[in-house]
Amino acid sequence: MGTVEPQVSTAQDAPQAQTIDGFQLVIDALKLNGIDTIYGLPGIPITDLTRRAQADGMRVLAFRHEQSAGYAASIAGFLTQKPGICLTVSAPGFLNGLNALAHATVNCFPMILISGSSEREIVDLQQGDYEEMDQLAIAKPVAKAAFRVLHAEDIGVGIARAIRAAVSGRPGGVYLDLPAKLFAQAIDAAAGRNSLIRVVDPAPKQIPAPEAVKRALDLLKGAKKPLIVLGKGAAYAQADADIRALVERTGIPYLPMSMAKGLLPDTHEQCASAARSFVLPAADVVMLIGARLNWLLSHGKGKTWGGKGHKDWGGQKFVQIDISPQEADSNVRIDAPLVGDVGSCVSALLAGMGAGWSKPPAGWLAAVAEKKNGNVAKMAETLAKNPVPMNFHSALNVVRDIVKANPDAMFVNEGANALDFTRGIVDMYQPRKRIDVGTWGIMGVGMGYCVAAAVTTKQPVIAVEGDSAFGFSGMEVETICRYNLPVCIVVMNNNGVYKGTDVDPTGRDPAPTVFVKGARYDKLMEAFGGVGVNATTPAELRAGLEDAIRSRKPTLINAVIDETAGTESGRITSLNPSAKKK
Ligand SMILES: Cc1ncc(C[n+]2csc(CCOP(=O)(O)OP(=O)(O)O)c2C)c(N)n1
Ligand SMILES: [Mg+2]
């Protein structure tokens, strides 16, 4: 985490230079720790905090809904390794931000939700204050840590604790409760400044034990059919060169989880994404790097892994690199847990490998390559088709080309089919470019992610959004236009959730999965001065994307997709109780 020189402002407290108030101490404490951006939404009691932070040189990005501000903060944390700050008002604003706080904790993104709150005395006696709510108690179960500051002289400690909790060990979401009265408290200026803490080494390295490194290497050495799985923890670590070196020096085929795509280019010869359903059951030793054996990896067992029944172990042995010592054995036995930060673990493995490491058996590599090449050829055939109306494949074939030509661009993705097809078809070439629905498969992250991606990286942003997914944060196109961000949103418009063909059997209402047919999402962008494009062909989609990247103007392309093209729940139909019965 970077640091900046302490900046203690004088402008705001000029009339009473000998005192400093709570507003200023919060701002100074954040700036002292290199935090220069706030994602939020103003109102009582934090309106002046947003104004004064901006006047003091911080970037304050104001959203139309706190949930989007929270998602923006969470992904800013993932991209920068500094806690992303979301600032909200009390009760309803806090609750709107809470979803993102939980999301940050579940996804291991460092984030701090700072919410103003009402009078403690009234809240605790439940006497009915304006926006009364015991926010600290409500935040605790979904936060990695939660704190409240009651006295101005404790602001420095409160913010230091929040920063350490957010970024150290396994990162997560932290809640910081700041009651209204705190902001106006004035204390002696010199004492106030002295109370601020510049956090030293907020995310200390955690070096793995030498015997754990040896155990992992021994297991890998004996493997006949080894596999590496890269998770978003590996992407977060920013240990890109060492991770690539480890993959290449071992010669082991690897699978990137969704947000680890691009850690090595998806076109890398060792990438086994196109042979996923072959390598998972066939592998004998699997090394997980910053990836958890949760539902996204079928809990490390069952048919996906070659087990007989849906809960049976497939026989694999696992090496697991994770910063949390509690992660191992969460789903199946981990034979070689390697506890430490991903960067330290990977460099310890590289050092321990020594010279003369032999590549995996040629038969295994040939079998993986054969499966992969077969599937890639099949996909190429599908992508080459040009049906009318467009389907997911013909539209994504265009997106794939545009991303290949613009590998620096950030890439946001949410939806069901709009997510699953995109993840499979659109290759990523650089680390931490792809950001998506994450651990929960959540809808609504889209526009918040676009704003944070543009602001933190300054690169153009391409977002591929299901029409349902887009709706969760669609009003933030105004935010994107207001800050004139280089964001191009492609709405994969198939008239609904999964597809647009359902009907109400009683004939009364539209089906719950269906939207207004032929909706023109591009007009929404035009309403705020951005560029709207209605694309019914791959050529129109290509032209729209190319113009958007070139102009860096906020753009929304309404990509008209065959409403029959999707499948129920995309690739996770089996998790859907009624669909499973069919
Ligand atoms: C917050 C939240 N609410 C609801 C869902 C359930 N859900 C999963 S995908 C999806 C939308 C799928 O439709 P769309 O985005 O249009 O993608 P498509 O499959 O049509 O391409 C919904 C509502 C969710 N994942 N998250
Ligand atoms: Mg849809």
Side-chain angles (χ1 to χ4, degrees):
M1 203 178 118
T3 50
V4 290
E5 285 309 302
Q7 290 179 356
V8 176
S9 59
T10 50
Q12 299 297 333
D13 42 342
Q16 277 183 303
Q18 57 277 66
T19 65
I20 186 165
D21 66 12
F23 284 116
Q24 198 60 47
L25 287 165
V26 172
I27 294 164
D28 289 347
L30 292 172
K31 288 174 73 172
L32 183 61
N33 284 288
I35 293 170
D36 55 11
T37 307
I38 291 173
Y39 304 88
L41 201 160
I44 296 172
I46 50 96
T47 313
D48 267 355
L49 188 60
T50 62
R51 289 198 185 104
R52 287 174 58 174
Q54 186 173 57
D56 251 8
M58 291 187 83
R59 192 104 199 254
V60 181
L61 295 143
F63 286 72
R64 305 302 295 261
H65 192 292
E66 291 89 350
Q67 183 169 293
S68 294
Y71 288 142
S74 74
I75 208 67
F78 169 76
L79 293 171
T80 64
Q81 295 183 331
K82 281 191 221 172
I85 306 293
C86 175
L87 179 63
T88 79
V89 302
S90 33
F94 157 78
L95 286 173
N96 285 345
L98 198 62
N99 204 334
L101 184 72
H103 170 78
T105 304
V106 166
N107 283 274
C108 317
F109 298 158
M111 165 188 172
I112 304 174
L113 173 66
I114 302 180
S115 295
S117 58
S118 307
E119 297 298 330
R120 283 263 32 97
E121 293 82 350
I122 304 179
V123 172
D124 287 348
L125 276 170
Q126 298 169 35
Q127 293 173 306
D129 201 3
Y130 168 71
E131 299 189 349
E132 174 183 300
M133 176 170 275
D134 188 357
Q135 296 168 196
L136 187 69
I138 290 167
K140 268 183 187 163
V142 299
K144 184 181 170 196
F147 307 100
R148 177 187 292 131
V149 181
L150 291 177
H151 302 291
E153 51 268 43
D154 293 331
I155 286 172
V157 168
I159 289 192
R161 299 213 73 190
I163 291 171
R164 281 200 186 277
V167 298
S168 64
R170 174 177 279 181
V174 175
Y175 176 60
L176 188 61
D177 194 77
L178 302 183
K181 268 189 189 167
L182 177 78
F183 296 112
Q185 279 179 31
I187 59 171
D188 175 72
R193 283 170 193 136
N194 262 334
S195 71
L196 300 185
I197 295 173
R198 186 209 293 242
V199 177
V200 176
D201 197 12
K205 274 193 178 157
Q206 295 189 22
I207 313 288
E211 60 273 23
V213 175
K214 184 173 180 306
R215 198 186 294 123
L217 286 170
D218 286 348
L219 191 54
L220 282 177
K221 245 179 237 166
K224 303 269 181 313
K225 298 176 174 182
L227 175 70
I228 290 174
V229 177
L230 300 172
K232 67 179 172 315
Y236 176 79
Q238 299 195 14
D240 308 331
D242 273 0
I243 289 171
R244 182 167 186 154
L246 182 69
V247 171
E248 290 183 340
R249 278 184 53 196
T250 60
I252 298 175
Y254 73 94
L255 273 183
M257 299 302 287
S258 190
M259 281 176 56
K261 276 165 69 77
L263 216 40
L264 287 82
D266 281 338
T267 47
H268 195 282
E269 63 162 348
Q270 284 170 255
C271 180
S273 290
R276 188 181 197 268
S277 57
F278 171 73
V279 292
L280 289 180
D284 63 348
V285 175
V286 179
M287 178 159 64
L288 304 159
I289 306 184
R292 293 169 289 180
L293 283 177
N294 57 21
W295 72 280
L296 289 160
L297 282 169
S298 306
H299 306 282
K301 59 194 168 191
K303 292 197 172 146
T304 307
W305 292 87
K308 286 205 183 71
H310 84 286
K311 284 199 161 170
D312 291 331
W313 178 50
Q316 286 82 6
K317 294 197 181 276
F318 289 97
V319 177
Q320 181 161 35
I321 299 181
D322 201 285
I323 198 156
S324 167
Q326 294 172 37
E327 184 58 37
D329 305 329
S330 58
N331 286 273
V332 293
R333 177 173 53 235
I334 301 298
D335 300 274
L338 199 48
V339 175
D341 65 279
V342 166
S344 299
C345 290
V346 168
S347 73
L349 288 172
L350 280 168
M353 280 172 71
W357 182 273
S358 29
K359 302 263 148 134
W364 170 237
L365 299 182
V368 177
E370 192 190 319
K371 255 288 172 285
K372 172 177 155 177
N373 295 339
N375 287 341
V376 168
K378 258 190 250 162
M379 179 57 89
E381 259 175 51
T382 312
L383 292 178
K385 290 184 188 144
N386 194 0
V388 180
M390 273 195 294
N391 62 10
F392 286 99
H393 292 87
S394 60
L396 289 170
N397 188 38
V398 172
V399 177
R400 171 188 163 98
D401 288 348
I402 299 290
V403 171
K404 186 175 184 185
N406 299 279
D408 291 331
M410 291 298 298
F411 193 80
V412 174
N413 191 199
E414 62 177 337
N417 294 283
L419 176 90
D420 292 334
F421 286 125
T422 306
R423 186 181 53 235
I425 292 168
V426 178
D427 290 327
M428 304 309 300
Y429 299 87
Q430 293 179 19
R432 289 173 301 285
K433 294 299 182 185
R434 187 188 156 89
I435 49 182
D436 65 27
V437 299
T439 309
W440 265 347
I442 205 167
M443 300 296 117
V445 292
M447 298 305 103
Y449 275 19
C450 284
V451 171
V455 164
T456 59
T457 71
K458 316 264 189 285
Q459 297 294 336
V461 181
I462 299 167
V464 172
E465 299 270 317
D467 51 336
S468 166
F470 172 71
F472 286 73
S473 65
M475 193 62 203
E476 303 296 345
V477 296
E478 189 277 332
T479 311
I480 289 166
C481 287
R482 186 165 16 109
Y483 294 104
N484 194 23
L485 299 173
V487 174
C488 177
I489 304 150
V490 180
V491 175
M492 304 291 265
N493 189 356
N494 63 351
N495 295 339
V497 176
Y498 313 137
K499 43 168 78 186
T501 49
D502 275 5
V503 286
D504 173 358
T506 72
R508 183 170 55 188
D509 281 326
T513 53
V514 163
F515 298 140
V516 168
K517 304 255 180 185
R520 291 286 303 274
Y521 292 97
D522 48 314
K523 301 279 181 196
L524 198 58
M525 184 58 101
E526 286 175 355
F528 303 107
V531 177
V533 176
N534 189 48
T536 58
T537 64
E540 287 166 357
L541 176 56
R542 189 179 300 270
L545 272 159
E546 282 172 351
D547 284 352
I549 299 265
R550 201 178 310 118
S551 72
R552 293 178 68 96
K553 283 191 189 139
T555 301
L556 193 155
I557 305 174
N558 182 57
V560 181
I561 303 290
D562 181 355
E563 66 173 10
T564 69
T567 54
E568 176 92 4
S569 306
R571 292 264 167 87
I572 52 175
T573 312
S574 63
L575 298 181
N576 197 0
S578 83
K580 205 188 316 194
K581 270 188 232 134
K582 277 182 207 158

